[in-house]
Amino acid sequence: MSGRLRVGEAIIDLLTRHYDVDTVFGIPGVHNIELFRGLHRAGVRTIAPRHEQGAGFMADGWSLVTGRPGVCVLISGPGLTNALTPMAQAYHDSRPMLVLASTTPTDALGQRIGPLHDLDDQAAVARTVCAFSETVLDPASLPTLIARAWDVFTAARPRPVHLAIPTDVLEQWVDQWSPAPSTASRPVAQPAAIDQAARQLAAADSPLIVAGGGAIDAGDALVRIAEQLDAPVVLTGNAKGVVPSQHPLCADTALGFPDVQRAIEACDTVLIVGSELSDTDLYNGGRALSFSGRTVRIDLDPAQAVRRLSPDVTLVGDAAATLRTLSAALKTTGVERRDATSTLGAERAAALRAVWRSGTRADLVPWLEAIESCLTADTIVALDSTQLGYAAHTWLPAARPRSWLAPYGFGTLGCALPMAIGASLAAPDRPVVALAGDGGWLFTVAEMAAGHDLASNLVLLVWDNRGYAQIRQSFDDVDAVRMGVDVSSHDPAAIARGFGWAARTVDNAADLVPALHDALAAAASSSGPQFMHLVPTRA
């Protein structure tokens, strides 16, 4: 493609030729046709969900699995506002997303004269959940803005970027664009700080590592450091799979348990890699960890590196590169690998795992064991906010990074199904299992239609506790009268069949194992997506 193009076409042309964009999520409308004209001409795979919220969650799931920015193409006004929840999720979980949305014509911007889909300032509406959000009045600025977005995605803490483009700007004619130059690169930790951190870690008697989502592509280096130090590794939800759950030093996603937090606080040295140590990670009522020993913190974001604690050593840089350099520095201090025959680190990790194993609700354990027995090392798991899902965060294993999808930072309902669809598009040869509650599933139930049309290779488990059981419990905990929590989807399996899914109901954990094996086999054999209605026995 060359020569003169409409701005909408030129944007897509630039993204496909220079930024490796080959998949886009969005719903066409009168106001973004020029972008869709560009998608057609460039041959981009364009996924049409049933709601813009679904587009955002699909893009986020696709991005998490591929490690590339998810791209959404939306209409003005409600298209953007419908997508704000998945944008906020991507923002809080530090994932890249490019949102291209039309907006009202330039002569109507902010005029309050009532054009269709009018927002006083669409860019301002999105700004709080974006690295940056801009209204594009001059088409010539677009290559620079797109380059700036990719700098955020690749060289800084990744977060969504939103560009609002007036409809009349999208229709203008321009020459084919070349990419704007970029000199951005990820920060590199200072050698003196690396040496100081290595000495501190080498001297530790009870080292421990906490790893978050910032370490998602640093698994090999993280395992190497853990083995050098004989240190247990505690993961946040966004880091699940970075160290395989089966590794003897992996304590898995146990950070939210008070006994585990106390054990971390008692260590003489803690290495924190790419984690906010946020209230959501800790789930302890907002109490920040109070370390009795020394701390070393690695983070790409210099502001985050000193937030919530003052580390003894701060290393600002990419997690994988910094850990590799730190590993080499440890070797120069004489720490090639602590006593290779030692089992102390593994024993400490096992003790931490025992905390969350013993803390899991007994009635959920048979269901979790049934699901666990059906998972393979390649399985991608997508979880929603539901009681069985909360327990699954810690109980179910993950053998690979970028295989665990859940709404950690923002805690929304309804994301599991569309995120799983995005994941299935990113990895069509891998099994995908999604788990949602019967209440949260209804938030995005319309994406069942998209899952069928796309012949997604996924299995959706819906845990039916007749509404919002966790919120029911919260009402009871504070002695408040329950309201609005006892809701029903009436016949989920019939709903699923209406969307063209194969569906079955399972009312005991023993029957789940063969049923889930069959469903996974059917999904893998191109029989279409599979729905399983789980109905736990009630007293």
Side-chain angles (χ1 to χ4, degrees):
M1 189 185 297
S2 61
R4 301 280 287 176
L5 302 169
R6 296 173 181 86
V7 166
E9 296 174 287
I11 293 169
I12 303 303
D13 172 64
L14 180 65
L15 291 173
T16 56
R17 286 190 299 113
H18 297 286
Y19 294 97
D20 197 28
V21 171
D22 58 13
T23 303
V24 164
F25 301 85
I27 298 176
V30 172
H31 298 93
N32 64 4
I33 285 176
E34 295 307 330
L35 288 163
F36 274 81
R37 190 196 302 271
L39 292 168
H40 178 263
R41 290 190 64 177
V44 175
R45 179 171 64 166
T46 304
I47 308 302
R50 299 306 183 266
H51 189 278
E52 287 88 1
Q53 183 172 229
F57 284 135
M58 289 180 196
D60 193 25
W62 183 91
S63 174
L64 203 159
V65 172
T66 63
R68 295 157 56 193
V71 179
C72 293
V73 172
L74 310 176
I75 63 163
S76 48
L80 184 277
T81 56
N82 285 342
L84 284 175
T85 296
M87 291 169 66
Q89 176 173 287
Y91 180 89
H92 281 278
D93 286 339
S94 300
R95 289 197 287 268
M97 180 185 295
L98 177 63
V99 177
L100 300 170
S102 58
T103 190
T104 48
T106 52
D107 61 0
L109 289 171
Q111 298 301 308
R112 301 189 180 183
I113 56 176
L116 191 63
H117 301 168
D118 190 28
L119 291 170
D120 263 8
D121 188 340
Q122 183 171 301
V125 169
R127 198 160 285 138
T128 59
V129 292
C130 290
F132 69 89
S133 175
E134 301 289 346
T135 300
V136 180
L137 301 179
D138 179 4
S141 67
L142 276 160
T144 299
L145 288 169
I146 291 171
R148 181 182 166 197
W150 251 259
D151 288 347
V152 170
F153 301 154
T154 60
R157 184 177 186 175
R159 277 178 159 157
V161 168
H162 164 245
L163 299 179
I165 311 160
T167 53
D168 56 318
V169 173
L170 284 172
E171 295 166 357
Q172 293 178 27
W173 290 87
V174 294
D175 291 324
Q176 187 181 48
W177 289 322
S178 296
S182 171
T183 59
S185 60
R186 294 195 165 198
V188 177
Q190 295 299 308
I194 290 284
D195 291 342
Q196 183 183 358
R199 290 194 301 271
Q200 185 168 297
L201 291 166
D205 292 321
S206 58
L208 183 140
I209 301 170
V210 176
I216 195 168
D217 294 320
D220 290 344
L222 192 63
V223 168
R224 170 65 175 150
I225 288 278
E227 292 176 346
Q228 281 181 280
L229 298 174
D230 193 30
V233 182
V234 177
L235 304 172
T236 69
N238 282 323
K240 192 172 180 78
V242 170
V243 175
S245 298
Q246 297 82 2
H247 194 287
L249 291 174
C250 182
D252 226 306
T253 49
L255 190 57
F257 289 79
D259 286 350
V260 173
Q261 293 172 21
R262 286 189 283 271
I264 293 170
E265 292 173 325
C267 293
D268 65 352
T269 303
V270 178
L271 172 61
I272 304 156
V273 186
S275 172
E276 291 180 311
L277 298 178
S278 70
D279 289 352
T280 306
D281 293 325
L282 300 173
Y283 205 71
N284 62 4
R287 182 184 72 82
L289 293 183
S290 179
F291 297 96
S292 59
R294 294 179 174 273
T295 55
V296 176
R297 193 170 192 179
I298 300 172
D299 207 287
L300 188 66
D301 181 351
Q304 184 60 54
V306 294
R307 189 172 288 136
R308 300 209 86 177
L309 76 150
S310 298
D312 294 280
V313 184
T314 303
L315 303 174
V316 177
D318 172 78
T322 304
L323 286 169
R324 287 193 294 267
T325 305
L326 183 57
S327 175
L330 276 170
K331 188 174 180 179
T332 65
T333 69
V335 181
E336 169 58 29
R337 180 167 181 170
R338 293 195 176 186
D339 185 359
T341 64
S342 172
T343 60
L344 180 58
E347 291 168 2
R348 292 170 63 206
L352 296 174
R353 289 196 298 272
V355 170
W356 58 257
R357 285 264 170 177
S358 63
T360 303
R361 263 177 43 186
D363 62 307
L364 301 179
V365 170
W367 296 90
L368 294 167
E369 289 178 337
I371 297 170
E372 181 179 8
S373 71
C374 298
L375 303 183
T376 67
D378 279 344
T379 303
I380 298 169
V381 175
L383 299 179
D384 223 308
S385 295
T386 185
Q387 287 182 329
L388 186 62
Y390 300 145
H393 284 313
T394 47
W395 191 282
L396 296 184
R400 293 172 54 178
R402 298 192 176 278
S403 298
W404 198 259
L405 292 65
Y408 287 103
F410 205 48
T412 186
L413 288 167
C415 64
L417 170 60
M419 288 187 78
I421 293 172
S424 73
L425 292 166
D429 296 327
R430 295 176 61 185
V432 180
V433 174
L435 171 60
D438 61 307
W441 165 61
L442 292 177
F443 278 46
T444 54
V445 68
E447 301 312 338
M448 298 280 288
H452 172 268
D453 288 356
L454 294 165
S456 300
N457 59 322
L458 67 89
V459 177
L460 172 63
L461 310 177
V462 169
W463 177 253
D464 191 346
N465 47 31
R466 296 181 183 173
Y468 306 116
Q470 186 62 51
I471 305 172
R472 279 200 296 266
Q473 182 63 53
S474 298
F475 271 84
D476 295 347
D477 289 344
V478 297
D479 195 27
V481 177
R482 297 177 179 178
M483 294 184 67
V485 295
D486 297 308
V487 299
S488 173
S489 50
H490 300 292
D491 192 343
I495 294 170
R497 293 187 189 102
F499 281 115
W501 290 48
R504 69 196 78 188
T505 297
V506 178
D507 59 10
N508 69 82
D511 291 340
L512 178 57
V513 175
L516 182 51
H517 273 302
D518 288 347
L520 286 164
S525 65
S526 302
S527 296
Q530 308 289 307
F531 181 90
M532 305 194 69
H533 180 208
L534 309 185
V535 187
T537 302
R538 297 173 178 83

